[in-house]
Amino acid sequence: MSSVDTKALEKASAQAKSNSKRRNFVQSVELIVNLKGINMKSPESRISETVLLPNSSGKPIKICVIADGDLIFKAKEAGADTILTKADLEKLAGDRKSAKKLANAHDFFVARADLMPLVGRILGPVLGPRGKMPEPVPPTADIKPVLERLRKSVRIRTRDQPVVKCRIGVETMSDSALAENAMAILSAIEKKFSLKQHLDSIYVKTTMGSPVEVEVS
């Protein structure tokens, strides 16, 4: 990815943090990637990916596991934030308010593969538009590494505009750690679109701060 280098991302991260007023909470640091020359009406042009970050995002990640049988106990041992059984899932049928609350309260969902059709029918209408459809796992899966990976990941997606906006960390993190996380996001986008051809601009900003443009060669 010759058009963007780590030093430029470090410089923008440092500037975004120094320009930002002190707040009474730890601000997130966000990456905004503007793309060009992409037909967003085409489903193939949309991005919806889970990206593993080299450094923590600095945010507690909440994961809901939808399971039955032994996987329930494995999910408990692995520290899942919420566990839904098949019976719990069936109770949510027709209860859109509770389904929305569940969707908004969790960053990621994991489901036993054979429960996916039921998940799709009951939770699909709320999870789908949020880009939060579960990652399916076999009934015999070792779920601990799955949860560990998701706790170090962020989801990136485009909607009606060719823009990817996501958290890459918090203001207390080093500029190098933020830059490494940003490069992981850019690498994931690069797999879908050539950044040499489709990159318009990149910005880094804190939650309440102004965007700082990243120098792109």
Side-chain angles (χ1 to χ4, degrees):
M1 201 188 319
S2 59
S3 55
V4 189
D5 66 34
T6 310
K7 291 295 178 191
L9 288 162
E10 285 182 16
K11 185 179 174 184
S13 298
Q15 197 176 332
K17 289 191 291 182
S18 67
N19 289 357
S20 188
K21 290 180 184 175
R22 292 296 295 269
R23 307 284 173 176
N24 60 358
F25 65 97
V26 177
Q27 295 185 78
S28 294
V29 179
E30 297 165 0
L31 184 74
I32 302 163
V33 183
N34 297 304
L35 302 169
K36 61 184 178 182
I38 295 166
N39 176 19
M40 295 308 295
K41 290 180 181 176
S42 166
E44 292 78 32
S45 296
R46 304 232 174 100
I47 296 173
S48 183
E49 302 276 343
T50 299
V51 182
L52 178 63
L53 299 176
N55 307 291
S56 164
S57 71
K59 174 192 174 188
I61 301 294
K62 295 198 77 175
I63 303 171
C64 175
V65 177
I66 302 165
D68 233 9
D70 286 347
L71 200 58
I72 292 172
F73 303 107
K74 286 182 182 177
K76 279 180 183 173
E77 285 179 3
D81 297 281
T82 303
I83 298 167
L84 289 187
T85 64
K86 185 180 178 183
D88 295 330
L89 184 61
E90 286 168 341
K91 284 176 191 171
L92 286 170
D95 187 353
R96 196 172 175 87
K97 187 178 177 183
S98 294
K100 276 186 177 181
K101 192 175 176 183
L102 181 79
N104 292 334
H106 297 84
D107 299 281
F108 294 104
F109 288 78
V110 177
R112 209 174 89 165
D114 56 333
L115 294 175
M116 283 297 287
L118 189 62
V119 173
R121 183 164 57 81
I122 295 171
L123 293 179
V126 294
L127 296 183
R130 289 167 172 79
K132 291 185 179 182
M133 284 302 285
E135 179 173 324
V137 293
T140 55
D142 180 1
I143 202 164
K144 190 176 180 182
V146 176
L147 300 194
E148 285 174 350
R149 171 173 51 80
L150 290 175
R151 291 197 195 283
K152 296 175 185 172
S153 300
V154 292
R155 192 184 302 279
I156 61 168
R157 59 197 295 246
T158 52
R159 303 192 191 208
D160 53 345
Q161 298 295 321
V163 179
V164 172
K165 182 179 176 181
C166 70
R167 178 191 183 113
I168 53 170
V170 290
E171 62 182 343
T172 52
M173 288 170 63
S174 69
D175 301 325
S176 59
L178 291 167
E180 285 171 4
N181 284 354
M183 286 298 279
I185 302 298
L186 293 170
S187 295
I189 297 172
E190 180 86 71
K191 287 176 186 172
K192 185 90 174 177
F193 301 112
S194 163
L195 290 180
K196 279 186 179 178
Q197 183 182 349
H198 294 289
L199 181 62
D200 186 20
S201 58
I202 305 173
Y203 292 87
V204 176
K205 71 180 290 292
T206 58
T207 307
M208 308 290 284
S210 301
V212 173
E213 188 164 5
V214 178
E215 290 173 15
V216 177
S217 57

